[in-house]
Every structure is written in C-alpha cells, then in structure tokens.
Amino acid sequence: MQRRGALFGMPGGSGNRKMAAGDIGELLVPHMPTIRVPRSGDRVYKNECAFSYDSPNSEGGLYVCMNTFLAFGREHVERHFRKTGQSVYMYLKRHVREKVRGASGGALPKRRNSKIFLDLDTDDDLNSDDYEYEDEAKLVIFPDHYEIALPNIEELPALVTIACDAVLSSKSPYRKQDPDTWENELPVSKYANNLTQLDNGVRIPPSGWKCARCDLRENLWLNLTDGSVLCGKWFFDSSGGNGHALEHYRDLGYPLAVKLGTITPDGADVYSFQEEEPVLDPHLAKHLAHFGIDMLHMHGTENGLQDNDSKPRISEWEVIQETGTKLKPMYGPGYTGLKNLGNSCYLSSVMQAIFSIPEFQRAYVGNLPRIFDYSPLDPTQDFNTQMTKLGHGLLSGQYSKPPMKSELIEQVMKEEPKPQQNGISPRMFKAFVSRSHPEFSSNRQQDAQEFFLHLVNLVERNRIGSENPSDVFRFLVEERIQCCQTRKVRYTERVDYLMQLPVAMEAATNKDELIAYELTRREAEANRRPLPELVRAKIPFSACLQAFSEPENVDDFWSSALQAKSAGVKTSRFASFPEYLVVQIKKFTFGLDWVPKKFDVSIDMPDLLDINHLRARGLQPGEEELPDISPPVIIPDDSKDRLMNQLIDPSDIDESSVMQLAEMGFPLEACRKAVYFTGNMGAEVAFNWIIVHMEEPDFAEPLTMPGYGGVASAGASAGLDNQPPEETVALITSMGFHRNQALQALRATNSNLERALDWIFSHPEFEEDSDFVIEMENNANANIISEAKPEGPRVKDGSGMYELFAFISHMGTSTMSGHYVCHIKKEGRWVIYNDHKVCASERPPKDLGYMYFYRRIPS
C-alpha cells in the first residue's frame, strides 16, 4: 500500500493498555465479518462527521466506521452504533503543538515529520513555522470502548491491517470541489469535435430570450445545432421549465445545448442530452460564434474586466466589504462563518440569511434529535440531515468561540496578529445540494438568486411531515392580461417566492453628474489620460417599485375570444403577501456585444417597506372576462390514437410508471392521475404533468375516471402531506412487516418507499413509540380534514408592511464572477458575514445590495 511504510513505521501509541496478540485477535474475531477494505468508488469520510463539523482536529477526534466508512464525532458515534450495530471504528486525532524554540528564540530547524499521515488540511490560522502536528490512530470497539493502538502490524489480523491502511490512504470524497481539479471532472462530449451546425441564419440576441414553444423567459437553453432557444427541466435547474429543450432533442436528435446567461470567456454550462450529463465543449467559442455570440470578446484584461472597469469595481469591493474600517469580530451562537470552498460565497450568503429566519431554525435545528435519529443509513445523502447539520453548526456557537485571554496577549505581542475565526466548511452540504446540477456542482461563481430558488425547491421536495419552512416565502401573484383587440381581460394566479424589481435607470436623480462623468471619461480615453473617479447612478426606490407595477406588452398570448394569438398588456400584483418578502434587484444584463454588464447603481432601499397598494383587486366593474377556452393541445400524430384509447379503459394505467413517480416522493394518487391524463406515454411525460398541476387543491385526491362514476382505487389514500398511501402500506406489510412499523417508516420518510424500507432495516429494534404514533395519527386526521376542504396553495397572507433584516450584496461585473457577502440585523445591530469572517458592521451598504430580505410587521 502507498502509505504502509509511513504509517506502520511509527512507534506505538502511548497511553494505551498493552494487549497480547492473542487477546487482540480474540477481541476482533466476532467483528471480522463487519470490517471491510474500501473498494474503488467507496467514499471514505475521515475529515468530517456526518452529523456535525467535528474533525480529527476537534477535541474529541473523529470515529470512522470500518464498515460504512462514515465518520462521526464523539457526540454522534454512539447513535450510529445503536442504529447499525457496527462495533469497530477507527479513531483519528490530530494533535497541534507549538514548536520548541531554539536558544535564539526561533523555531528549531525543520525536519521531516513522520508523525503526520492523515490527509487533512492544516488550520489556516496556525503558522506552520510556529506549530507542529502529530496524528494519532487507533481502533475502538464498541460498546466497551476497547482501544487498539495503531500501528500494530504484528498483532492485527492481515485483513484488519489492510483495511486500516486503505482507510488512512484514501483521498477526500470532495476532491472534485477543489479549484484546480474540478474542470477535469467534467467529461468532454463525444459530439463536440464533429458537431453539425445548420446554416439557417439564426442569430441570438444578447437579451430578450424566450422559449420557442412556451412563454418562459428563464432556464433557457440554446441548442448548438439549430440555434433553437428552449426551456429546460426543473429537476436539473431550480428555476423551472417545461422540458421543451429535451423534447426538441427527442424530436430531432440534436445533442448539445448551452444555458443562456452562463456564457463567460472561461466557458459556460453545456449539457449533452444523448450522454445525459453536463459536459465540456472544447470548441464552444466556435459553436457560439456560429449564432453570433462572441464569448471571447470579454478578454480585455485579466478576469474579463476592461481597463475602464477596474476602478469602479475596486470602489464597490471596498464599500460593500467595509474595507478600511476596523471591524470587531463576533463570536457565539448565530455568529459562525462559512469557509469559502472556491467561489462558494453565493451559497454561504444565502444560507446565513436562511438560518436567521426562526421558521427554518425550528424546522431543522429544533427537530435535530428526531431528524438525526430517523436519518437514513447514509446521512451524508439526506437533505434534511445536512440542512440540520448546517443549521446547528451556524447557530450553536460550538464552532465560534472567542480566543482565550492568553491568545489575545500573544497576538498583541506578535508583529502580525493572526485571525481567530475559522468558520465551518460546508463541503458535505454543497456536495449534496449541488449534485446533478450543472451549475452549482461546478467550482465557478453562481447567481445567489438562482441558488435561493434551488434551495426552496429542495425544501419543498424534502418537507418534514406537514411542516414546510419555505412557505414563509410563498405568495400568489395575480396576472391580468388585456387583449388589445377585444379589450377583454383574463385573470390568472401563479405561485412565486421572490419579488424581482427592475432598475429604473431613467429615474436617476443625478443625471447631470452622470452626463458630465461620461463626457470626461470619453475625453480621457481619447487622450489616454487617467479615467475620472466613478459616478454611481442614484435611483429612488419608489421609481423601481413603480416600474414593477407598470404594464408589460405581450405580443403572443392566446386570446380565447379570437381563438388565436394576439397582442396584449400584462400587469402583475400580489394576490397574497408572504410572511417574508425577498426582493431581487435586477442589476444584471448583457450588452449588444454579449459582454455581461451590471448597473452600477445606488438605490435607497427602505428599512420599512409598505406594498399594500400592490394588493390585487380582481375583476373590476365594467371589465369583461375572456371566455375560459384553452388553446388546442398539439399531440404527435403517432400518439393521438394511443392517448384516446387510454382515456377509455382505466384498467390499463401503467403501474410501473406510477411507481417510478411515487418513488420520487409524489403522492400515489397524483402519480396515477399523471399517467392517466398523459395517456400512458411514460414516466417522463407524466412527470411534466405533475409539475404543471402540483399546486392544484385536488392534486393528490383519488383519480375520478370520466364515464366510470368512481375512483380508480377506492381504498387508496389521497396521500396529502405525510399520510402514507394505503397501497404503499399494503406493499410493505405484504413483505412481513407490522402495519404500525410500515406507517412509522413511511411517515418518517415522507412516504418514499425506498427510503421507508431503508428506515425499517436501520431500526431492527423497532418498538412502537406511542407518542410518535399518536402525533402521526393526529397528523393523519388533519390530513383527512384538509382533503375534505381543499385550501388551495399554501400561503401565509397578511399585511404588506415589512422591515428589512438582511441583504446580500454582490461585487463584480456579472453573477458568474466576483464575490458575495451578507449583512444581517441581529440583536439590534447589523453584522457582516464575509465567508468565515463575522464582524459587527459599522457602515452597512444597504443601497448596494442585490437581494433583500424583509419580515412582515404584525398589524
């Protein structure tokens, strides 16, 4: 083995009870079947606990299970032992000591340290010239905590020796997140070298994109063969879509598409439909140029900044990060920072804001014992577990302790004081929430607003029972469209989670100053003189709010009165006000040359916000509604007969497609309806139906067959919230499990069949917890009531009066570059969260934010 010489050449660990070889062998014999050697593809977690941020650097060290290779801190290893029965763990501990000083006061000359064998990052705050490290490893056998010091090559069985060496030699499972190695993880598409591109004259403008098959204007993908702009699928991008890009591929077979809005000189997000994964396109610049997109035009200077862009960006960075101000570090609960993993500040800023909201604190940290106890066998792959872990890490204060008085004195004595704030590393959380996502799984900078929506999507899909903390952001938007020809109107409602506010540049209050600056700048460029100091446009918030409510021209909406597409005018208002209002300032755009641009503006965002005047009014006197006639549904010719036939006989519903959808966590009856109403055209098509109809009040009610006067399955439960579908309960009980055991497993896993079975096998000691069962039965009764009286989409309507409590700011020329920080108002004062650094804010730049978080003021 690679590290065997280094590891087993060490002297025996001190302080452990000596044990004869026969005693050690006898001790390990009962546990030998559970000890495994890591195979290729096994993830060995030896740097971080699955439930906390404990590591070998922590006071209690880390315990690695020698069967699952999951790691646990001292506080959580007993839970894993009780849950799985696994008894043998490798204990890892790194000791840090100050180096011995020489006679002259300096450290002794460096020597090769053979006592370091763990593949760990050294503490950023410990100067390697002043400290030395010593790693300790030993086997611990539970429940009696027998310890076997390592190395012990002469006394350990050969299999155990090989397993220990393999664990210690393994690499981190997060290597692909490192900045220098990520790009090598994406495969080069096999279609990139010989991609066919049609000479059809298509040229893509830098803005104003819209799906060619629907009205969506986000999550748009450009097909690199014919230049079609089509929407993506929601499950590989958080911002939503109807799957038209995938349908286009299935119709024509054009394999590669690039996501619009991600194009930079360094690359873009490219997806291969044929290979079904994100890929690299080495010829992307050439392929984009075919459609008039010059992705290399931004290479004016390093990082894509033009010479005349550098000065204003420096000013922005200084103001937002409060550079030049002596900021006081903050410690304790709620003041823990997050280490930057390499352009992960967008994630850090959003999560700091999210976990400052009491509803998220209660949903995850407040339910920590139950979430951890009922987590699946691999908690690193469970969203609720990782959310709870992150929330506890940020809020507990366990990883944000002030330095000791002696350390402060030492800092003062040194010429270069070292910072004491380390923060926690969100590697495990980022790895889970970004998996299978072409953007967030990369190491490039991303849009904090897109990540916020992605997170809301994950919270929605992994709700804990009937509790869903993301409901605090949820509100209804009333859209009114008036047909320009008939003057008739149509009112519709949709769900949204944030308010996008346009920048009203025409309302700048310092226009004369801006004009003078522009003239001076042009003159300086012409005469090669230094550029003048930047003048930032000052925009009144009231002007942006007015622009939000102004009518928008729609040129191709379906006018049911004309039975054709027509021009119209659309206005949007709030049909309900959320408990927490998230406001995004739409600062980013593209120039005619495809160079990303950012409006450099100062907006006087209010501390107190009143939007009651934006409340929807509904149909007004004198208005005439458009008839409720849907546009014709175009079905492929080869599917029409099949679809009609399937709508006749209810016995032919494809149960395999139903179960595929049910295993994703959707209610069983909703899955049956999706398959039925899409004519047994497969789980993929039925999935699209679910996404479109999941907000309807009767989404999970039993399927009523046209012409049959009943439901498809009279005994089936509606499956609302956390009431397990009866068919799934029956399926589990048919395997020999008790009914109450099936109910408890399904309720603990949101009625996911696969996870429920996993839960049952991980709880062999099952005994009915009467309190748990009573609580769940009460939830079931509440679900039955909600089935009888559908309440529509989940919203928490109330007053439109809000107060500002957090904002996220961006520095840089586009969302694909730069840096994010977050300011949060806690205990009456503003605090700046800049990656791992958490300090009291002196001058919070509220006028330069990108996303603002408001909480409702009780009326």
Side-chain angles (χ1 to χ4, degrees):
M1 294 286 180
Q2 181 180 359
R3 297 205 177 190
R4 179 175 297 193
L7 170 61
F8 294 104
M10 289 174 47
S14 60
N16 291 314
R17 180 167 57 90
K18 294 293 184 181
M19 192 177 297
D23 293 337
I24 291 178
E26 184 178 342
L27 193 63
L28 286 171
V29 164
H31 309 292
M32 289 295 289
T34 67
I35 298 176
R36 293 201 305 120
V37 178
R39 299 188 300 267
S40 175
D42 281 340
R43 291 172 296 189
V44 180
Y45 297 91
K46 60 180 182 178
N47 290 7
E48 181 182 343
C49 171
F51 292 109
S52 72
Y53 291 92
D54 288 350
S55 71
N57 289 312
S58 302
E59 182 180 355
L62 199 66
Y63 295 81
V64 180
C65 174
M66 294 301 292
N67 180 268
T68 65
F69 311 118
L70 296 168
F72 305 94
R74 178 181 293 173
E75 183 182 356
H76 301 286
V77 64
E78 292 279 359
R79 174 187 287 108
H80 186 257
F81 164 68
R82 292 193 304 269
K83 190 172 187 176
T84 65
Q86 300 297 334
S87 301
V88 183
Y89 296 81
M90 179 183 288
Y91 174 79
L92 302 175
K93 172 66 179 169
R94 170 162 289 181
H95 302 278
V96 183
R97 302 182 181 89
E98 282 197 77
K99 290 183 177 179
V100 179
R101 298 284 170 176
S104 61
L108 293 175
K110 295 181 181 180
R111 293 181 297 174
R112 182 178 179 274
N113 191 349
S114 62
K115 296 184 179 181
I116 296 179
F117 52 82
L118 295 179
D119 182 24
L120 303 177
D121 296 329
T122 57
D123 195 319
D124 295 336
D125 294 338
L126 298 180
N127 190 324
S128 58
D129 293 332
D130 299 330
Y131 295 87
E132 61 184 1
Y133 306 91
E134 180 177 352
D135 293 338
E136 175 189 5
K138 57 189 175 185
L139 290 180
V140 180
I141 303 176
F142 283 74
D144 298 318
H145 293 267
Y146 287 116
E147 296 182 358
I148 303 173
L150 298 176
N152 210 335
I153 192 169
E154 295 179 355
E155 300 175 345
L156 288 175
L159 173 66
V160 178
T161 300
I162 295 172
C164 291
D165 193 41
V167 167
L168 291 169
S169 302
S170 62
K171 298 296 182 182
S172 167
Y174 306 119
R175 282 290 181 184
K176 72 176 185 179
Q177 291 187 20
D178 294 342
D180 296 333
T181 60
W182 164 252
E183 293 298 338
N184 293 329
E185 297 293 328
L186 281 180
V188 174
S189 172
K190 62 183 179 181
Y191 299 100
N193 289 335
N194 301 304
L195 183 69
T196 300
Q197 291 193 283
L198 305 182
D199 292 325
N200 53 12
V202 172
R203 291 294 180 268
I204 306 300
S207 61
W209 315 305
K210 186 176 68 172
C211 176
R213 299 191 185 183
C214 67
D215 292 330
L216 285 182
R217 297 178 181 269
E218 60 181 13
N219 188 21
L220 299 176
W221 295 74
L222 169 67
N223 190 285
L224 290 175
T225 294
D226 65 355
S228 296
V229 175
L230 299 155
C231 61
K233 296 286 295 244
W234 78 278
F235 56 84
F236 68 78
D237 187 280
S238 64
S239 52
N242 295 320
H244 290 141
L246 179 60
E247 288 182 13
H248 188 69
Y249 159 71
R250 288 176 172 168
D251 292 341
L252 300 175
Y254 300 154
L256 298 184
V258 59
K259 185 172 183 182
L260 294 174
T262 68
I263 301 169
T264 70
D266 300 322
D269 295 329
V270 181
Y271 191 84
S272 173
F273 295 108
Q274 175 65 34
E275 295 158 287
E276 297 185 339
E277 63 178 338
V279 295
L280 292 177
D281 179 0
H283 310 292
L284 183 59
K286 171 187 171 184
H287 293 155
L288 290 173
H290 182 82
F291 300 110
I293 303 173
D294 185 3
M295 66 175 285
L296 302 179
H297 184 72
M298 291 179 280
H299 277 307
T301 60
E302 187 179 5
N303 296 328
L305 298 178
Q306 304 295 327
D307 291 337
N308 59 350
D309 286 338
S310 58
K311 191 169 183 178
R313 293 282 77 78
I314 293 174
S315 174
E316 182 183 50
W317 285 67
E318 290 175 347
V319 174
I320 291 177
Q321 296 187 105
E322 304 187 51
T323 305
T325 305
K326 190 174 182 180
L327 301 178
K328 178 184 176 182
M330 302 287 286
Y331 300 94
Y335 298 106
T336 304
L338 288 164
K339 292 180 180 179
N340 196 318
L341 308 178
N343 289 327
S344 64
C345 52
Y346 67 92
L347 177 148
S348 300
S349 297
V350 170
M351 297 314 301
Q352 292 284 10
I354 286 293
F355 275 113
S356 69
I357 297 174
E359 284 75 4
F360 278 86
Q361 296 173 5
R362 290 195 296 267
Y364 295 103
V365 183
N367 284 321
L368 182 148
R370 176 162 293 178
I371 291 174
F372 281 1
D373 286 342
Y374 292 105
S375 64
L377 288 179
D378 186 354
T380 69
Q381 303 303 304
D382 181 67
F383 176 75
N384 291 326
T385 301
Q386 293 309 308
M387 276 287 283
T388 303
K389 170 184 171 178
L390 180 62
H392 180 263
L394 293 177
L395 301 173
S396 65
Q398 184 176 339
Y399 306 97
S400 178
K401 297 179 180 178
M404 303 291 289
K405 186 174 181 180
S406 58
E407 294 173 336
L408 292 174
I409 295 174
E410 183 181 358
Q411 283 187 32
V412 174
M413 299 298 293
K414 290 185 177 181
E415 294 182 1
E416 297 181 0
K418 300 293 180 182
Q420 294 295 322
Q421 292 178 306
N422 298 326
I424 56 179
S425 174
R427 284 188 183 275
M428 192 175 290
F429 178 79
K430 183 178 186 294
F432 180 82
V433 300
S434 64
R435 65 180 183 179
S436 303
H437 194 290
E439 296 169 46
F440 302 132
S441 58
S442 75
N443 203 61
R444 298 191 294 273
Q445 187 61 276
Q446 302 296 335
D447 189 346
Q449 176 257 354
E450 288 193 8
F451 180 75
F452 168 77
L453 292 178
H454 177 65
L455 182 75
V456 168
N457 186 9
L458 291 173
V459 173
E460 290 272 356
R461 293 164 56 189
N462 295 275
R463 68 167 66 184
I464 306 170
S466 60
E467 189 172 9
N468 186 357
S470 66
D471 284 351
V472 299
F473 302 123
R474 193 183 182 96
F475 61 92
L476 294 177
V477 177
E478 178 193 84
E479 290 187 344
R480 174 189 182 272
I481 300 182
Q482 184 174 38
C483 176
C484 290
Q485 294 189 47
T486 65
R487 313 306 297 175
K488 295 180 180 181
V489 297
R490 174 187 299 148
Y491 284 88
T492 57
E493 288 186 350
R494 61 176 173 83
V495 173
D496 214 332
Y497 293 90
L498 57 81
M499 177 186 188
Q500 293 184 310
L501 212 60
V503 176
M505 290 296 294
E506 68 283 354
T509 59
N510 58 339
K511 289 181 180 178
D512 293 341
E513 192 179 4
L514 292 170
I515 292 173
Y517 163 76
E518 183 63 21
L519 293 174
T520 305
R521 185 189 65 80
R522 292 181 182 181
E523 182 181 356
E525 285 185 341
N527 296 293
R528 298 181 179 276
R529 293 201 303 265
L531 297 178
E533 186 175 350
L534 171 73
V535 176
R536 182 170 285 117
K538 298 179 180 178
I539 311 295
F541 172 76
S542 57
C544 299
L545 198 60
Q546 182 178 349
F548 169 81
S549 58
E550 287 180 351
E552 173 188 352
N553 292 325
V554 180
D555 56 4
D556 58 354
F557 92 99
W558 173 258
S559 175
S560 54
L562 301 172
Q563 286 291 290
K565 288 187 176 182
S566 172
V569 177
K570 180 173 73 174
T571 54
S572 300
R573 287 181 174 269
F574 287 85
S576 68
F577 291 128
E579 193 166 352
Y580 287 81
L581 178 65
V582 182
V583 180
Q584 177 204 9
I585 306 298
K586 299 177 69 174
K587 289 186 173 184
F588 301 99
T589 185
F590 287 89
L592 296 177
D593 52 5
W594 272 90
V595 177
K597 295 184 184 296
K598 177 179 174 180
F599 294 126
D600 206 324
V601 296
S602 169
I603 301 177
D604 59 335
M605 296 295 293
D607 289 309
L608 299 178
L609 173 62
D610 184 358
I611 57 172
N612 278 302
H613 65 285
L614 295 178
R615 169 77 74 172
R617 298 188 297 259
L619 187 68
Q620 296 298 296
E623 291 183 336
E624 184 179 355
E625 279 194 284
L626 287 162
D628 188 15
I629 303 175
S630 300
V633 178
I634 301 176
I635 302 174
D637 291 337
D638 59 349
S639 303
K640 287 181 180 177
D641 293 337
R642 183 183 176 195
L643 176 60
M644 295 307 297
N645 289 336
Q646 294 301 327
L647 290 177
I648 295 174
D649 189 354
S651 63
D652 289 340
I653 292 180
D654 182 3
E655 293 298 335
S656 63
S657 295
V658 172
M659 293 311 299
Q660 275 185 265
L661 297 170
E663 288 173 3
M664 297 181 190
F666 298 112
L668 185 64
E669 285 302 328
C671 300
R672 291 178 60 80
K673 288 199 291 188
V675 174
Y676 172 76
F677 286 119
T678 55
N680 275 2
M681 294 172 69
E684 187 78 29
V685 177
F687 181 84
N688 292 334
W689 186 96
I690 286 178
I691 300 308
V692 172
H693 294 84
M694 65 190 309
E695 303 299 342
E696 297 176 358
D698 61 347
F699 171 66
E701 290 186 1
L703 169 62
T704 300
M705 294 295 191
Y708 286 85
V711 296
S713 177
S717 159
L720 284 173
D721 294 326
N722 209 26
Q723 171 68 0
E726 193 61 35
E727 292 183 8
T728 312
V729 175
L731 184 61
I732 294 179
T733 55
S734 68
M735 300 178 186
F737 299 107
H738 296 292
R739 175 179 175 81
N740 286 335
Q741 191 176 14
L743 287 171
Q744 186 165 345
L746 288 167
R747 286 162 180 160
T749 58
N750 201 20
S751 295
N752 183 294
L753 178 61
E754 183 178 354
R755 289 179 57 199
L757 292 173
D758 185 20
W759 187 94
I760 289 175
F761 288 120
S762 66
H763 294 73
E765 75 291 351
F766 171 77
E767 293 180 4
E768 272 197 22
D769 181 341
S770 58
D771 293 336
F772 184 87
V773 173
I774 291 172
E775 177 188 344
M776 290 305 182
E777 290 299 334
N778 289 338
N779 287 342
N781 293 334
N783 290 337
I784 294 172
I785 295 173
S786 67
E787 289 175 42
K789 299 179 180 179
E791 297 180 358
R794 306 179 310 275
V795 294
K796 299 186 177 183
D797 196 9
S799 169
M801 285 290 297
Y802 296 90
E803 63 177 340
L804 182 67
F805 72 93
F807 62 94
I808 295 172
S809 306
H810 174 267
M811 297 149 279
T813 53
S814 78
T815 55
M816 312 309 294
S817 63
H819 183 57
Y820 288 95
V821 301
C822 181
H823 284 75
I824 303 176
K825 195 172 187 179
K826 290 190 174 182
E827 299 177 312
R829 71 174 304 166
W830 285 97
V831 180
I832 179 173
Y833 292 79
N834 189 353
D835 289 334
H836 65 282
K837 295 176 290 187
V838 182
C839 301
S841 173
E842 296 295 331
R843 294 193 296 268
K846 291 182 284 187
D847 59 324
L848 300 180
Y850 173 52
M851 295 178 66
Y852 294 84
F853 293 76
Y854 286 87
R855 68 166 61 92
R856 180 188 293 149
I857 300 175
S859 55

